[in-house]
Amino acid sequence: MTLSWKLVIDSTNAPAQADFWAAALGYEVEDPSALVGRLLAAGQIGDEAVTEHGGRKIFRGYAAIRHPDDPFDATSGVGQGRRLLFQEVPESKSGKNRLHLDVHGEPGGLDALVARLEELGASRVREVDQGPAGHWWIMRDPEGNEFCAA
């Protein structure tokens, strides 16, 4: 039996990370505002559990993105396929990531991909040259998480 999963990434600013990665991957930022509104109206959560980002009410400390072609729950806005969830944690990043994303561009389009990612707030760390097998860049997202652009 296969299992469903999502990748959860610790962050210091979940909505900003969601915005960066949605733009980087061409994903959509999830919109939980309808669910947040229902929970507030029913008294199931208080105002302290909510913040606003991009003109929408969201859960404080959380933001997620989903692949635009995958199904999602229209009631909650939660994706049911390829999904990244960013959760805020009190501590900052302290070491090398043990898990990272590889972002693949069009064949022959590495320079354009890297330039676009830099415009979104990523930074280059170093180029990895594999000789005839090609090359790629190790990069960092706006919070310093490593990823590869290939």
Side-chain angles (χ1 to χ4, degrees):
M1 172 179 151
T2 60
L3 302 175
S4 296
W5 60 273
K6 67 179 165 283
L7 179 61
V8 180
I9 301 172
D10 291 347
S11 68
T12 58
N13 186 334
Q17 282 292 89
D19 289 345
F20 169 81
W21 281 105
L25 298 174
Y27 275 38
E28 293 181 8
V29 175
E30 292 181 352
D31 180 4
S33 58
L35 176 61
V36 169
R38 271 189 241 110
L39 293 173
L40 283 168
Q44 294 177 305
I45 60 172
D47 289 334
E48 72 283 349
V50 176
T51 191
E52 191 169 305
H53 182 75
R56 300 188 287 204
K57 290 188 185 245
I58 64 171
F59 294 102
R60 184 177 303 280
Y62 297 93
I65 65 172
R66 62 178 175 79
H67 191 285
D69 296 335
D70 289 352
F72 67 97
D73 182 311
T75 303
S76 66
V78 172
Q80 298 171 332
R82 294 163 279 188
R83 182 172 186 250
L84 302 177
L85 172 67
F86 300 91
Q87 67 177 3
E88 292 179 7
V89 296
E91 65 276 354
S92 61
K93 184 177 173 325
S94 62
K96 184 182 181 314
N97 294 6
R98 294 293 303 244
L99 177 73
H100 68 266
L101 298 177
D102 283 356
V103 179
H104 298 273
E106 298 293 323
L110 180 59
D111 292 340
L113 172 64
V114 169
R116 186 175 69 80
L117 293 168
E118 286 178 319
E119 287 175 11
L120 294 170
S123 58
R124 297 180 202 208
V125 174
R126 69 180 160 83
E127 189 173 21
V128 178
D129 186 353
Q130 293 289 302
H135 67 282
W136 69 89
W137 280 93
I138 297 173
M139 300 186 76
R140 287 198 174 106
D141 73 12
E143 288 197 1
N145 297 302
E146 297 89 4
F147 68 96
C148 293

